[in-house]
Amino acid sequence: MSKILIIEDEAKIARFIELELKHEGNEVDKAADGREGLDKALTGQYDLILLDVMLPGLNGLEVLRRVRLESDVPIIMLTARDAVMDKVSGLDAGADDYITKPFAIEELLARIRVALKKHVGVAPKSNKLEVKGVSLDEDRHEVTVNGENVELSNREFELLHTLMQNKNIVMDRDKLMNLVCGYDYMGETNIIDVYIRYLRTKIDDRYGIKLINTVRGVGYIIKED
Ligand code: CA
């Protein structure tokens, strides 16, 4: 049994799909506009989402984009006939499939089965970052090097997190200061250099790796080999 969300403003179509899906043994939830649909989708409790493109409130493509920032739940778009752009944009924005209205319910059910099957075994989106043997787990607020735990203060963690998230991009000191200390920070301007020194002592020096590079006159970068 799968839990499926139908985001569709045409009540008759939504009801029709709902009955068919329930008949197949699925649990079904509905939303009649884009905003409600997005809110429900972001709860993360669905195995699959059917998403109409033309929706009041927030159109389907926008809902799709926002859901994709947080989740890789299978999404099948419902598009109007001949709306080629919608299909292309939908697939570009991360839809798994689309079906053109009007559709035969058997075809929709078949596509749902395919999308669900493809998704089985896909690992949940991980909140782990990894560079050069250094692994940062956002959920656990934990940093390990070669499996060994490294104790970091909150700001050290935030700084490392920011650099790892933006790996291969030079981050200048001002930007790092805003991101790590907040925009209203009024303290020492060399604070970032201080934290970088702490991080290097705890990671680079201790484990003999070159994790954080200085870009003279600009800032810092973590580069992937
Ligand atoms: Ca519609």
Side-chain angles (χ1 to χ4, degrees):
M1 189 196 71
S2 301
K3 194 161 182 190
I4 297 173
L5 174 65
I6 304 171
I7 308 176
E8 164 65 271
D9 58 314
E10 284 160 84
K12 266 164 85 178
I13 296 182
R15 181 75 186 137
F16 171 60
I17 301 173
E18 178 186 21
L19 289 175
E20 291 291 335
L21 287 173
K22 281 187 169 165
H23 183 70
E24 298 261 302
N26 300 290
E27 199 177 318
V28 177
D29 214 347
K30 287 183 298 185
D33 68 65
R35 291 200 179 277
E36 185 195 354
L38 179 64
D39 287 345
K40 286 192 169 168
L42 291 179
T43 61
Q45 57 174 311
Y46 302 101
D47 300 307
L48 184 135
I49 296 171
L50 293 175
L51 176 60
D52 186 30
V53 174
M54 298 287 285
L55 286 171
L58 203 61
N59 80 55
L61 289 172
E62 193 52 38
V63 173
L64 171 67
R65 275 187 207 103
R66 297 202 197 172
V67 172
R68 274 292 171 262
L69 294 176
E70 312 218 349
S71 150
D72 54 5
V73 59
I75 297 177
I76 299 178
M77 305 291 291
L78 307 174
T79 68
R81 195 209 296 269
D82 299 331
V84 179
M85 274 318 290
D86 285 349
K87 291 168 198 164
V88 173
S89 322
L91 294 174
D92 277 351
D96 294 75
D97 201 354
Y98 62 83
I99 190 160
T100 307
K101 290 199 263 187
F103 49 81
I105 192 68
E106 291 76 22
E107 192 189 351
L108 178 63
L109 295 175
R111 283 173 188 249
I112 289 174
R113 279 193 292 271
V114 170
L116 284 170
K117 207 177 279 174
K118 251 198 309 201
H119 202 68
V120 169
V122 174
K125 204 167 180 178
S126 156
N127 289 312
K128 264 190 185 173
L129 300 168
E130 185 138 15
V131 181
K132 293 182 176 175
V134 178
S135 169
L136 182 146
D137 189 324
E138 266 176 74
D139 297 335
R140 299 168 146 218
H141 216 265
E142 220 172 63
V143 173
T144 55
V145 180
N146 305 326
E148 202 175 302
N149 221 14
V150 180
E151 293 289 334
L152 297 180
S153 70
N154 267 339
R155 279 193 174 158
E156 290 163 4
F157 183 90
E158 285 311 321
L159 179 57
L160 182 63
H161 186 202
T162 304
L163 286 168
M164 286 178 78
Q165 256 181 336
N166 295 283
K167 73 178 175 195
N168 301 322
I169 299 171
V170 178
M171 300 296 284
D172 67 50
R173 282 184 180 77
D174 288 343
K175 199 184 280 174
L176 286 172
M177 200 154 81
N178 289 334
L179 289 169
V180 174
C181 305
Y183 284 88
D184 49 0
Y185 180 74
M186 298 295 280
E188 295 295 312
T189 53
N190 68 346
I191 188 82
I192 291 301
D193 302 303
V194 173
Y195 286 126
I196 290 282
R197 208 154 57 228
Y198 292 156
L199 281 174
R200 279 180 169 154
T201 305
K202 290 182 175 180
I203 297 175
D204 295 50
D205 299 349
R206 176 144 171 227
Y207 295 96
I209 43 180
K210 186 115 187 72
L211 181 68
I212 302 170
N213 292 293
T214 305
V215 180
R216 208 168 290 282
V218 185
Y220 298 97
I221 184 173
I222 286 183
K223 278 193 266 186
E224 182 122 77
D225 291 326

